[in-house]
Amino acid sequence: MSQREWVAAAIRKIDADFNRSADTHLIPMDLPGFPGIDLYLKDESSHPTGSLKHRLARSLFLYALANGWLREGRPVIEASSGSTAVSEAYFARLLGLPFIAVMPATTSPEKIAAIEFHGGRCHLVQSACQLNAESEQLAQQTGGHFMDQFTYAERATDWRANNNIAESIFKQMADEPHPVPEWIVCSPGTGGTAATLGRYVSYRRHDTRILCADPQVSVFYDGYVAAAAGKPWRALTCEGGSRVEGIGRPRVEPSFIPTSVDAMVKVPDALSLAAMRHVTRQLGRRVGGSTGTNFIGVLQAAQWMREAGRGGSIVTILCDSGERYAHSYYDPQWYQRQGIDIQAADEQLAQMVQGQCPPVLPVCSLEPVNG
């Protein structure tokens, strides 16, 4: 089979897989302390590989195929903290390609098992800062292709339409009381989702604003602050890796586009995980830590709306299932090892949900947020 024939067959397989899949659900959830404000969670955990990253992996594979970067029988390598690797392993197996995930050694055992279930191999490194260099080296050694989600996430996704997450949200919101959300809240892993959402609402001329909630150990917020001030921001870094798996990075990734985001907040890990537990109780099933980070962003957006006397809707993303974090976020001993006071965080979160205690977070915005 020629390269052109193999690429055509590979794209046909991915399109067929897409046609077999239904859209993800949009779930309403009460915000008792904020009457007149409706909250919806876009449940990306219902994808075949269980997370928001299923969309990204599909786009990255189609982008690489269309560019001629993938070859029959040659491995695909990705730098990932877990969920993207799970999804890419799925698509690699669909195309009959070997897959290697370069991951931090701290990645949850559940994610490692999920990658291996889909036929992938895990290459663990001690520091998140090593991921890209190790991936590039493996690609050279094996003759494979480094997918590089952190560079290509924002350009691989068709932000105008093609059933991206933004288009899906607005279609599902069409019959709701407030069909055009005041805010859509997400969190940055690559920055690609924020870029897609921001570009789509601008292109479609919606009044919706995008709020990005960055976890505690991450440099995206600092990059945004610098960019908003007209200072150099691309080369900023921070020490350590994010405790909220799937989001936050020690460097400002190429897919992060500050001008596609209207505001950013910085969320302490203890609050993110308290919010994760709250959403879990409200839905009756476990969600991941990044959903908690998003929920804190929701409370901040709701506070701004209340201060401005505005009602309306907010949409955020339920990124993945909490079943992948049984050995971390749902293990009390993990919190003890991390020095996180669960009771204090839960009490603070309960007051925030009731509207009794406004979020006190570092905030940066391109324009006033409560006007």
Side-chain angles (χ1 to χ4, degrees), residues 89-174:
Y90 171 93
F91 285 104
R93 184 172 68 173
L94 185 69
L95 304 185
L97 299 175
F99 179 76
I100 305 171
V102 182
M103 311 166 68
T106 55
T107 301
S108 70
E110 291 83 3
K111 284 186 177 178
I112 292 173
I115 292 164
E116 293 174 344
F117 171 81
H118 290 297
R121 176 166 69 86
C122 299
H123 180 88
L124 303 181
V125 299
Q126 293 304 311
S127 170
C129 298
Q130 299 174 269
L131 293 180
N132 278 37
E134 288 281 334
S135 298
E136 290 171 355
Q137 185 176 356
L138 276 173
Q140 291 175 357
Q141 290 173 352
T142 62
H145 172 64
F146 173 31
M147 196 67 86
D148 195 0
Q149 60 166 323
F150 297 108
T151 295
Y152 295 107
E154 56 90 7
R155 65 195 74 173
T157 300
D158 186 350
W159 48 267
R160 295 173 186 85
N162 198 21
N163 198 40
N164 64 39
I165 190 170
E167 183 184 40
S168 176
I169 286 170
F170 279 89
K171 282 184 176 179
Q172 292 176 314
M173 287 291 293

Side-chain angles (χ1 to χ4, degrees), residues 36-67:
I37 298 176
D38 301 329
L39 171 61
Y40 302 84
L41 278 67
K42 180 66 167 163
D43 184 8
E44 295 293 283
S45 72
S46 57
H47 282 296
T49 55
S51 83
L52 167 67
K53 299 300 186 180
H54 193 85
R55 294 182 189 270
L56 172 59
R58 182 194 296 122
S59 295
L60 287 168
F61 268 81
L62 289 172
Y63 189 71
L65 285 163
N67 286 331

Side-chain angles (χ1 to χ4, degrees), residues 345-366:
D346 283 349
E347 290 174 357
Q348 183 181 1
L349 191 279
Q351 291 182 325
M352 290 168 63
V353 170
Q354 293 298 326
Q356 300 169 355
C357 174
V360 181
L361 306 170
V363 173
C364 182
S365 62
L366 297 181

